[in-house]
Amino acid sequence: MTPTDRRAALRAGAGLVAGGAFAGACSASGSASGPSSGASPGPPSPPATSPAPAGPRPAPAPRAFPGQPAQISHGPRDRPRVALTFHGQGEPALAEALLGEAEQHGARVTVLAVGTWLDAHPALARRILDGGHDLGNHTHRHLDINAMSETEARGEIEECARRLRRLTGSVGTWFRPSRASRASPLVQRLARAAGYPHVLSYDVDSLDFTSPGAAAVTANVLREVRDGSVVSLHFGYADTLAALPAVLDELARRGLRAVTTTELIG
């Protein structure tokens, strides 16, 4: 990707951020008027009431999928669907642009958010859900969770879960370990205790975090993807944004729908 293209991608992402501002909740306030001059006051009228504005519904909770392993790396191989899963961290303009590109193609994705990223950009949690995407837990600080003590690993999972619950009403639909494609037995046990029946792995690695260029990201995905695949991708990389249209176009040409992981497995 040339520097000009990279700047264009970032400008496009920033434009989406500016255009996708969230509307705040509003509350209606009524006004009361006193009796007119010279008129006998009548019985007080009951105050006019109107329904309180509905807040956002809580996000879906994690689900157990009977017959699925504790660590899920792909979905059914007999249905033409795939799940594009994104590590949720990095420049918010790129995240907005990636979500917008997916939505323009009719695709829905899964975002595994890092807790410190949610602290810095809390509005993105609701943005992801409002777009029809899955939102899950990718630990609080994105460190090597399999190398941690039990106390440290528990804290990484639960700190991110607390942020998700505060922002969305749910701990998120999935947990994925940080710095690893699969969770150790200890981390798997801790994730289950935190409310996640399954650990989400993947069977296709885009290697986009190595910044190999958009063409390489596209080739890495399309070479391995097939029915039921779960693809690992990342927010925060311009190569990923540049590759996504070609990936989605080719998936559609092959008859593969990009859906949330919940839809893929369920």
Side-chain angles (χ1 to χ4, degrees):
M1 185 177 193
T2 67
T4 301
D5 291 338
R6 189 181 299 271
R7 287 194 296 271
L10 287 168
R11 284 198 298 272
L16 280 170
V17 172
F22 293 91
C26 36
S27 57
S29 60
S31 61
S33 58
S36 13
S37 175
S40 301
S45 301
T49 59
S50 53
R57 288 187 300 177
R63 287 174 51 190
F65 294 92
Q68 290 292 335
Q71 300 205 58
I72 294 175
S73 59
H74 62 81
R77 296 298 194 189
D78 59 352
R79 289 186 288 180
R81 300 175 182 175
V82 299
L84 303 181
T85 66
F86 288 84
H87 161 125
Q89 196 175 29
E91 173 57 47
L94 280 174
E96 288 275 6
L98 281 158
L99 293 169
E101 188 67 46
E103 290 158 9
Q104 288 176 19
H105 281 76
R108 296 296 177 266
V109 304
T110 300
V111 180
L112 293 314
V114 175
T116 53
W117 186 70
L118 293 174
D119 285 343
H121 311 291
L124 282 173
R126 184 54 59 180
R127 164 67 182 91
I128 290 162
L129 292 170
D130 287 348
H133 310 289
D134 272 357
L135 178 63
N137 180 332
H138 198 35
T139 76
H140 182 54
R141 294 176 296 164
H142 199 256
L143 304 176
D144 184 356
I145 193 168
N146 285 342
M148 292 180 180
S149 70
E150 180 170 348
T151 299
E152 291 173 320
R154 179 184 294 109
E156 283 292 310
I157 297 168
E158 292 182 352
E159 282 295 316
C160 187
R162 274 193 284 273
R163 281 152 176 78
L164 286 165
R165 187 183 294 281
R166 185 180 71 243
L167 293 170
T168 72
S170 165
V171 298
T173 46
W174 298 96
F175 168 75
R176 173 173 285 169
S178 49
R179 307 274 180 177
S181 62
R182 295 182 66 81
S184 68
L186 170 63
V187 171
Q188 182 181 317
R189 175 169 61 81
L190 294 173
R192 179 175 288 275
Y196 304 96
H198 304 279
V199 170
L200 181 60
S201 184
Y202 49 85
D203 65 325
V204 178
D205 192 345
S206 69
L207 299 175
D208 57 348
F209 62 93
T210 66
S211 298
V217 173
T218 302
N220 290 341
V221 173
L222 297 178
R223 181 173 55 249
E224 303 293 337
V225 73
R226 58 192 178 107
D227 290 4
S229 282
V230 176
V231 183
S232 173
L233 295 150
H234 291 70
F235 284 170
Y237 292 87
D239 288 349
T240 311
L241 175 58
L244 191 59
V247 168
L248 291 170
D249 286 343
E250 179 60 17
L251 290 177
R253 191 191 70 79
R254 298 182 189 181
L256 293 171
R257 288 181 56 221
V259 300
T260 65
T261 306
T262 298
E263 184 176 350
L264 179 78
I265 305 301

